[in-house]
Amino acid sequence: MHAVGSDEDYVESAICGGYKELGFSDHTPWLYETDYVADMRMTVEELPDYVNSLKELKDRYKDRISIKIGLECEYFENYITWLKEIVRKYDLDYIIFGNHFYKTDEQFPYFGRYTTTSEMLQLYEESILKGMESGLFAYVAHPDLFIRSYPQFDENCVNLSRKICKKARKMNIPLEYNVSGLEICKGNKEGYPHPTFWKIAADEGCLSIVGMDAHDNRCLENYALYDNAVKYLNKLGIRIVCNI
Ligand SMILES: [Zn+2]
């Protein structure tokens, strides 16, 4: 509910940009206990259409590009059993971990906009570590999202980054270098991907993956965006995975 372009537009743009494989990871819906309706994700009713559309494209384009079907999900403990059923039911290729909210977005605000205090940082920490420990996710999307709204990369942020990176190393989960964040945070005093976070990730020996997080299919046509991220991570000496 906050992207442009059809599913097929993304496939065409990825081919045009030189990609050999494209993973779709739209925001998962959640089967809420309340009548809450989120404004940034598809509804539960829309999920079959999402999967069917991608399956059809996967088949039709199989000679030109490999398509993987996934979802970007929070770790909502109360609803996670439902999510596991969904992954099985639709035979999804993978899910990634977007730590956007604490417990549920019915009650808690978006980490990317409201992490302005050390208390919110603590909720971010609790939530991201729990999600990583679950072992459900192929990688952690934008692990440094917290800095988007936090006033400055202070001691609390350094400590939090250490904990995230140590956990990622221990669990062997790649951390996503989120290319879309470079654009989203343009003009911010601080933003993600954050250089200090990535220095810590390098120091801890973490694995990384470059994620385009494209909300506009045209981002995929500019391969330099991907390439620049790879160069940046190489310079830091971080290992990069391309397949999950
Ligand atoms: Zn996200």
PDB file of all heavy atoms in Angstrom, residues 25-46:
ATOM      1  N   SER A  25       9.216  -9.383  -1.814  1.00  0.00           N
ATOM      2  CA  SER A  25       8.976  -9.503  -0.369  1.00  0.00           C
ATOM      3  C   SER A  25       8.097  -8.347   0.096  1.00  0.00           C
ATOM      4  O   SER A  25       8.519  -7.488   0.857  1.00  0.00           O
ATOM      5  CB  SER A  25      10.295  -9.531   0.404  1.00  0.00           C
ATOM      6  OG  SER A  25      11.086  -8.398   0.064  1.00  0.00           O
ATOM      7  N   ASP A  26       6.874  -8.345  -0.392  1.00  0.00           N
ATOM      8  CA  ASP A  26       5.921  -7.316   0.025  1.00  0.00           C
ATOM      9  C   ASP A  26       5.622  -7.493   1.520  1.00  0.00           C
ATOM     10  O   ASP A  26       5.825  -8.575   2.075  1.00  0.00           O
ATOM     11  CB  ASP A  26       4.635  -7.448  -0.800  1.00  0.00           C
ATOM     12  CG  ASP A  26       3.929  -6.115  -0.989  1.00  0.00           C
ATOM     13  OD1 ASP A  26       4.183  -5.189  -0.179  1.00  0.00           O
ATOM     14  OD2 ASP A  26       3.146  -5.996  -1.913  1.00  0.00           O
ATOM     15  N   HIS A  27       5.138  -6.425   2.154  1.00  0.00           N
ATOM     16  CA  HIS A  27       4.817  -6.505   3.582  1.00  0.00           C
ATOM     17  C   HIS A  27       3.706  -7.520   3.829  1.00  0.00           C
ATOM     18  O   HIS A  27       2.668  -7.461   3.186  1.00  0.00           O
ATOM     19  CB  HIS A  27       4.368  -5.145   4.104  1.00  0.00           C
ATOM     20  CG  HIS A  27       5.465  -4.141   4.156  1.00  0.00           C
ATOM     21  ND1 HIS A  27       6.349  -4.074   5.205  1.00  0.00           N
ATOM     22  CD2 HIS A  27       5.836  -3.185   3.289  1.00  0.00           C
ATOM     23  CE1 HIS A  27       7.217  -3.097   4.969  1.00  0.00           C
ATOM     24  NE2 HIS A  27       6.944  -2.543   3.818  1.00  0.00           N
ATOM     25  N   THR A  28       3.946  -8.403   4.763  1.00  0.00           N
ATOM     26  CA  THR A  28       2.928  -9.412   5.058  1.00  0.00           C
ATOM     27  C   THR A  28       1.680  -8.771   5.666  1.00  0.00           C
ATOM     28  O   THR A  28       1.782  -7.774   6.374  1.00  0.00           O
ATOM     29  CB  THR A  28       3.463 -10.462   6.064  1.00  0.00           C
ATOM     30  OG1 THR A  28       2.512 -11.530   6.137  1.00  0.00           O
ATOM     31  CG2 THR A  28       3.645  -9.891   7.469  1.00  0.00           C
ATOM     32  N   PRO A  29       0.517  -9.350   5.382  1.00  0.00           N
ATOM     33  CA  PRO A  29      -0.653  -8.971   6.180  1.00  0.00           C
ATOM     34  C   PRO A  29      -0.575  -9.707   7.516  1.00  0.00           C
ATOM     35  O   PRO A  29       0.232 -10.627   7.671  1.00  0.00           O
ATOM     36  CB  PRO A  29      -1.820  -9.504   5.348  1.00  0.00           C
ATOM     37  CG  PRO A  29      -1.265 -10.670   4.601  1.00  0.00           C
ATOM     38  CD  PRO A  29       0.209 -10.380   4.379  1.00  0.00           C
ATOM     39  N   TRP A  30      -1.378  -9.328   8.466  1.00  0.00           N
ATOM     40  CA  TRP A  30      -1.508 -10.066   9.733  1.00  0.00           C
ATOM     41  C   TRP A  30      -2.981 -10.292  10.011  1.00  0.00           C
ATOM     42  O   TRP A  30      -3.813  -9.418   9.702  1.00  0.00           O
ATOM     43  CB  TRP A  30      -0.882  -9.284  10.901  1.00  0.00           C
ATOM     44  CG  TRP A  30       0.612  -9.242  10.871  1.00  0.00           C
ATOM     45  CD1 TRP A  30       1.378  -8.164  10.498  1.00  0.00           C
ATOM     46  CD2 TRP A  30       1.535 -10.279  11.224  1.00  0.00           C
ATOM     47  NE1 TRP A  30       2.714  -8.475  10.585  1.00  0.00           N
ATOM     48  CE2 TRP A  30       2.841  -9.772  11.027  1.00  0.00           C
ATOM     49  CE3 TRP A  30       1.386 -11.596  11.677  1.00  0.00           C
ATOM     50  CZ2 TRP A  30       3.990 -10.527  11.278  1.00  0.00           C
ATOM     51  CZ3 TRP A  30       2.527 -12.346  11.921  1.00  0.00           C
ATOM     52  CH2 TRP A  30       3.808 -11.814  11.728  1.00  0.00           C
ATOM     53  N   LEU A  31      -3.264 -11.437  10.584  1.00  0.00           N
ATOM     54  CA  LEU A  31      -4.647 -11.728  10.977  1.00  0.00           C
ATOM     55  C   LEU A  31      -4.840 -11.178  12.397  1.00  0.00           C
ATOM     56  O   LEU A  31      -4.593 -11.867  13.376  1.00  0.00           O
ATOM     57  CB  LEU A  31      -4.893 -13.241  10.924  1.00  0.00           C
ATOM     58  CG  LEU A  31      -6.328 -13.694  11.148  1.00  0.00           C
ATOM     59  CD1 LEU A  31      -7.270 -13.132  10.080  1.00  0.00           C
ATOM     60  CD2 LEU A  31      -6.414 -15.222  11.155  1.00  0.00           C
ATOM     61  N   TYR A  32      -5.264  -9.930  12.457  1.00  0.00           N
ATOM     62  CA  TYR A  32      -5.380  -9.249  13.751  1.00  0.00           C
ATOM     63  C   TYR A  32      -6.551  -9.762  14.574  1.00  0.00           C
ATOM     64  O   TYR A  32      -7.569 -10.191  14.025  1.00  0.00           O
ATOM     65  CB  TYR A  32      -5.563  -7.737  13.536  1.00  0.00           C
ATOM     66  CG  TYR A  32      -4.399  -7.054  12.873  1.00  0.00           C
ATOM     67  CD1 TYR A  32      -4.528  -6.485  11.610  1.00  0.00           C
ATOM     68  CD2 TYR A  32      -3.157  -6.952  13.509  1.00  0.00           C
ATOM     69  CE1 TYR A  32      -3.467  -5.845  10.992  1.00  0.00           C
ATOM     70  CE2 TYR A  32      -2.096  -6.312  12.900  1.00  0.00           C
ATOM     71  CZ  TYR A  32      -2.258  -5.757  11.642  1.00  0.00           C
ATOM     72  OH  TYR A  32      -1.207  -5.123  11.038  1.00  0.00           O
ATOM     73  N   GLU A  33      -6.385  -9.655  15.891  1.00  0.00           N
ATOM     74  CA  GLU A  33      -7.490 -10.008  16.795  1.00  0.00           C
ATOM     75  C   GLU A  33      -8.524  -8.886  16.836  1.00  0.00           C
ATOM     76  O   GLU A  33      -9.656  -9.091  17.231  1.00  0.00           O
ATOM     77  CB  GLU A  33      -6.940 -10.220  18.219  1.00  0.00           C
ATOM     78  CG  GLU A  33      -6.282 -11.580  18.402  1.00  0.00           C
ATOM     79  CD  GLU A  33      -5.385 -11.641  19.630  1.00  0.00           C
ATOM     80  OE1 GLU A  33      -5.207 -10.605  20.309  1.00  0.00           O
ATOM     81  OE2 GLU A  33      -4.848 -12.735  19.889  1.00  0.00           O
ATOM     82  N   THR A  34      -8.115  -7.698  16.470  1.00  0.00           N
ATOM     83  CA  THR A  34      -9.026  -6.549  16.473  1.00  0.00           C
ATOM     84  C   THR A  34      -9.421  -6.222  15.032  1.00  0.00           C
ATOM     85  O   THR A  34      -8.966  -6.870  14.095  1.00  0.00           O
ATOM     86  CB  THR A  34      -8.323  -5.314  17.081  1.00  0.00           C
ATOM     87  OG1 THR A  34      -7.241  -4.948  16.208  1.00  0.00           O
ATOM     88  CG2 THR A  34      -7.780  -5.604  18.463  1.00  0.00           C
ATOM     89  N   ASP A  35     -10.233  -5.171  14.879  1.00  0.00           N
ATOM     90  CA  ASP A  35     -10.641  -4.790  13.522  1.00  0.00           C
ATOM     91  C   ASP A  35      -9.687  -3.756  12.919  1.00  0.00           C
ATOM     92  O   ASP A  35     -10.010  -3.059  11.963  1.00  0.00           O
ATOM     93  CB  ASP A  35     -12.095  -4.294  13.498  1.00  0.00           C
ATOM     94  CG  ASP A  35     -12.298  -3.135  14.460  1.00  0.00           C
ATOM     95  OD1 ASP A  35     -11.297  -2.657  15.065  1.00  0.00           O
ATOM     96  OD2 ASP A  35     -13.455  -2.697  14.622  1.00  0.00           O
ATOM     97  N   TYR A  36      -8.492  -3.672  13.493  1.00  0.00           N
ATOM     98  CA  TYR A  36      -7.468  -2.733  13.014  1.00  0.00           C
ATOM     99  C   TYR A  36      -7.143  -2.974  11.537  1.00  0.00           C
ATOM    100  O   TYR A  36      -7.016  -4.117  11.089  1.00  0.00           O
ATOM    101  CB  TYR A  36      -6.196  -2.922  13.863  1.00  0.00           C
ATOM    102  CG  TYR A  36      -5.028  -2.086  13.430  1.00  0.00           C
ATOM    103  CD1 TYR A  36      -4.975  -0.716  13.689  1.00  0.00           C
ATOM    104  CD2 TYR A  36      -3.957  -2.673  12.756  1.00  0.00           C
ATOM    105  CE1 TYR A  36      -3.889   0.039  13.288  1.00  0.00           C
ATOM    106  CE2 TYR A  36      -2.862  -1.919  12.349  1.00  0.00           C
ATOM    107  CZ  TYR A  36      -2.835  -0.561  12.618  1.00  0.00           C
ATOM    108  OH  TYR A  36      -1.759   0.186  12.214  1.00  0.00           O
ATOM    109  N   VAL A  37      -7.030  -1.891  10.796  1.00  0.00           N
ATOM    110  CA  VAL A  37      -6.627  -1.996   9.388  1.00  0.00           C
ATOM    111  C   VAL A  37      -5.347  -1.180   9.201  1.00  0.00           C
ATOM    112  O   VAL A  37      -5.343   0.032   9.415  1.00  0.00           O
ATOM    113  CB  VAL A  37      -7.726  -1.457   8.430  1.00  0.00           C
ATOM    114  CG1 VAL A  37      -7.278  -1.638   6.972  1.00  0.00           C
ATOM    115  CG2 VAL A  37      -9.055  -2.168   8.672  1.00  0.00           C
ATOM    116  N   ALA A  38      -4.249  -1.845   8.831  1.00  0.00           N
ATOM    117  CA  ALA A  38      -2.956  -1.159   8.658  1.00  0.00           C
ATOM    118  C   ALA A  38      -2.953  -0.403   7.340  1.00  0.00           C
ATOM    119  O   ALA A  38      -3.603  -0.807   6.383  1.00  0.00           O
ATOM    120  CB  ALA A  38      -1.832  -2.181   8.687  1.00  0.00           C
ATOM    121  N   ASP A  39      -2.206   0.697   7.334  1.00  0.00           N
ATOM    122  CA  ASP A  39      -2.203   1.508   6.110  1.00  0.00           C
ATOM    123  C   ASP A  39      -0.935   1.294   5.270  1.00  0.00           C
ATOM    124  O   ASP A  39      -0.684   2.021   4.337  1.00  0.00           O
ATOM    125  CB  ASP A  39      -2.367   2.998   6.454  1.00  0.00           C
ATOM    126  CG  ASP A  39      -1.206   3.514   7.292  1.00  0.00           C
ATOM    127  OD1 ASP A  39      -0.279   2.727   7.598  1.00  0.00           O
ATOM    128  OD2 ASP A  39      -1.219   4.712   7.645  1.00  0.00           O
ATOM    129  N   MET A  40      -0.125   0.291   5.647  1.00  0.00           N
ATOM    130  CA  MET A  40       1.117   0.085   4.891  1.00  0.00           C
ATOM    131  C   MET A  40       1.316  -1.352   4.402  1.00  0.00           C
ATOM    132  O   MET A  40       2.382  -1.703   3.963  1.00  0.00           O
ATOM    133  CB  MET A  40       2.333   0.544   5.720  1.00  0.00           C
ATOM    134  CG  MET A  40       2.417   0.111   7.163  1.00  0.00           C
ATOM    135  SD  MET A  40       2.653  -1.670   7.440  1.00  0.00           S
ATOM    136  CE  MET A  40       4.439  -1.782   7.205  1.00  0.00           C
ATOM    137  N   ARG A  41       0.282  -2.143   4.483  1.00  0.00           N
ATOM    138  CA  ARG A  41       0.426  -3.548   4.071  1.00  0.00           C
ATOM    139  C   ARG A  41      -0.866  -4.023   3.420  1.00  0.00           C
ATOM    140  O   ARG A  41      -1.937  -3.479   3.678  1.00  0.00           O
ATOM    141  CB  ARG A  41       0.777  -4.426   5.272  1.00  0.00           C
ATOM    142  CG  ARG A  41      -0.218  -4.333   6.415  1.00  0.00           C
ATOM    143  CD  ARG A  41       0.089  -5.297   7.568  1.00  0.00           C
ATOM    144  NE  ARG A  41       0.866  -4.719   8.651  1.00  0.00           N
ATOM    145  CZ  ARG A  41       2.113  -5.068   8.939  1.00  0.00           C
ATOM    146  NH1 ARG A  41       2.710  -5.990   8.224  1.00  0.00           N
ATOM    147  NH2 ARG A  41       2.766  -4.505   9.927  1.00  0.00           N
ATOM    148  N   MET A  42      -0.738  -5.085   2.608  1.00  0.00           N
ATOM    149  CA  MET A  42      -1.925  -5.684   1.999  1.00  0.00           C
ATOM    150  C   MET A  42      -2.815  -6.284   3.097  1.00  0.00           C
ATOM    151  O   MET A  42      -2.358  -6.525   4.213  1.00  0.00           O
ATOM    152  CB  MET A  42      -1.515  -6.769   0.999  1.00  0.00           C
ATOM    153  CG  MET A  42      -0.917  -8.012   1.633  1.00  0.00           C
ATOM    154  SD  MET A  42      -0.483  -9.285   0.433  1.00  0.00           S
ATOM    155  CE  MET A  42       1.253  -8.930   0.154  1.00  0.00           C
ATOM    156  N   THR A  43      -4.068  -6.541   2.741  1.00  0.00           N
ATOM    157  CA  THR A  43      -4.966  -7.204   3.687  1.00  0.00           C
ATOM    158  C   THR A  43      -4.821  -8.719   3.517  1.00  0.00           C
ATOM    159  O   THR A  43      -4.271  -9.192   2.523  1.00  0.00           O
ATOM    160  CB  THR A  43      -6.435  -6.823   3.407  1.00  0.00           C
ATOM    161  OG1 THR A  43      -6.762  -7.273   2.079  1.00  0.00           O
ATOM    162  CG2 THR A  43      -6.662  -5.332   3.516  1.00  0.00           C
ATOM    163  N   VAL A  44      -5.312  -9.436   4.499  1.00  0.00           N
ATOM    164  CA  VAL A  44      -5.272 -10.905   4.437  1.00  0.00           C
ATOM    165  C   VAL A  44      -5.983 -11.400   3.172  1.00  0.00           C
ATOM    166  O   VAL A  44      -5.534 -12.341   2.526  1.00  0.00           O
ATOM    167  CB  VAL A  44      -5.937 -11.503   5.704  1.00  0.00           C
ATOM    168  CG1 VAL A  44      -6.118 -13.004   5.563  1.00  0.00           C
ATOM    169  CG2 VAL A  44      -5.109 -11.179   6.940  1.00  0.00           C
ATOM    170  N   GLU A  45      -7.058 -10.717   2.799  1.00  0.00           N
ATOM    171  CA  GLU A  45      -7.843 -11.118   1.624  1.00  0.00           C
ATOM    172  C   GLU A  45      -7.055 -10.952   0.325  1.00  0.00           C
ATOM    173  O   GLU A  45      -7.340 -11.605  -0.668  1.00  0.00           O
ATOM    174  CB  GLU A  45      -9.137 -10.286   1.527  1.00  0.00           C
ATOM    175  CG  GLU A  45     -10.166 -10.577   2.613  1.00  0.00           C
ATOM    176  CD  GLU A  45      -9.773 -10.007   3.979  1.00  0.00           C
ATOM    177  OE1 GLU A  45      -9.057  -8.974   4.016  1.00  0.00           O
ATOM    178  OE2 GLU A  45     -10.152 -10.614   5.003  1.00  0.00           O
ATOM    179  N   GLU A  46      -6.073 -10.054   0.336  1.00  0.00           N
ATOM    180  CA  GLU A  46      -5.300  -9.797  -0.889  1.00  0.00           C
ATOM    181  C   GLU A  46      -4.132 -10.766  -1.093  1.00  0.00           C
ATOM    182  O   GLU A  46      -3.556 -10.830  -2.172  1.00  0.00           O
ATOM    183  CB  GLU A  46      -4.752  -8.360  -0.871  1.00  0.00           C
ATOM    184  CG  GLU A  46      -5.822  -7.322  -1.127  1.00  0.00           C
ATOM    185  CD  GLU A  46      -5.311  -5.897  -0.901  1.00  0.00           C
ATOM    186  OE1 GLU A  46      -4.695  -5.637   0.157  1.00  0.00           O
ATOM    187  OE2 GLU A  46      -5.521  -5.060  -1.785  1.00  0.00           O
TER     188      GLU A  46
END
